[in-house]
Amino acid sequence: MTIPARPNGTLMIAAHGHGGTVEEWQAGTDQAALLEALLGAGYSIASSDAGGNVWGAPASVTAYEDLHHWAAREAGARHVVLLGQSMGGLPALQLVGRIPATAFVGIYPVCNLATMTDKFPTFRQAWPDGAPADLSPVSPPYPPGFRALFFASPQDTTVPKATNTDTCAAVAAAAGADVTVVAAEGEHGDPSVFQPARVVEFLSAG
């Protein structure tokens, strides 16, 4: 966990993508500018290995839930927000309703598990019986006033925007969440999805 010099009282639980580790949202190169902006704005940031490449399986969600309980105490945080990058969208969105999160930031997030079937060998290891319906798409109990910001590219062939971000944004909006979708560009992982100023502005407005 990283605690800034001047904490603003909000903890961000950041869920890593496929192939990522606890270090992705602590010292990752792609994440560096966004991490710097968040810390500069006073956000404490906690991350976890959460079982590795387990595609939102129950154990990974529990790991992040446990992380929240520990990190909120350590950081003295009164509020919590969620961030899910790629595969991390699955556990991050499942935390809605399980911890008192008020907002979600999705960086080209996987949030419709059935669309990932057979794309990665680790998928079948995590879900040998296939994608469960309640994660296809993820449909958590969004609390009143919940806000969500999604970044995704229409050119992304790894995690298609139409069947992940757009589908899950529609689910969240239908449940009463305040949803914003920002169209980036390029293939999966393109730098255009990392928009520090936009993320800080969104979180600060909550």
Side-chain angles (χ1 to χ4, degrees):
M1 179 171 64
T2 305
I3 301 175
R6 296 182 178 179
N8 66 9
T10 299
L11 169 69
M12 171 175 279
I13 301 295
H16 69 78
H18 183 270
T21 70
V22 65
E23 294 297 321
E24 185 168 88
W25 281 100
Q26 299 296 321
T29 301
D30 291 340
Q31 297 80 7
L34 179 51
L35 178 65
E36 181 180 3
L38 289 166
L39 292 172
Y43 293 91
S44 298
I45 302 173
S47 58
S48 170
D49 283 335
N53 297 322
V54 292
W55 298 99
S60 70
V61 179
T62 299
Y64 283 116
E65 192 173 13
D66 292 344
L67 172 67
H68 161 259
H69 295 320
W70 171 80
R73 290 194 302 269
E74 291 293 311
R78 303 180 303 277
H79 309 288
V80 60
V81 295
L82 304 167
L83 183 147
Q85 179 181 344
S86 193
M87 184 189 71
L90 291 165
L93 280 174
Q94 289 180 78
L95 290 172
V96 176
R98 297 177 62 131
I99 65 174
T102 58
F104 167 79
V105 176
I107 307 292
Y108 46 75
V110 177
C111 51
N112 189 356
L113 187 59
T115 66
M116 305 307 294
T117 303
D118 297 331
K119 283 194 173 186
F120 294 87
T122 53
F123 177 94
R124 286 295 175 186
Q125 295 170 18
W127 298 102
D129 297 323
D134 61 351
L135 299 185
S136 305
V138 182
S139 304
Y142 289 101
F146 194 86
R147 302 165 64 242
L149 175 65
F150 293 82
F151 294 91
S153 168
Q155 289 83 48
D156 189 338
T157 59
T158 301
V159 182
K161 177 177 180 288
T163 54
N164 281 272
T165 282
D166 293 348
T167 295
C168 297
V171 168
D178 181 358
V179 178
T180 300
V181 175
V182 177
E185 57 188 33
E187 253 296 357
H188 196 68
D190 190 273
S192 66
V193 298
F194 295 95
Q195 300 187 24
R198 190 74 179 262
V199 172
V200 170
E201 179 184 19
F202 165 77
L203 294 175
S204 299

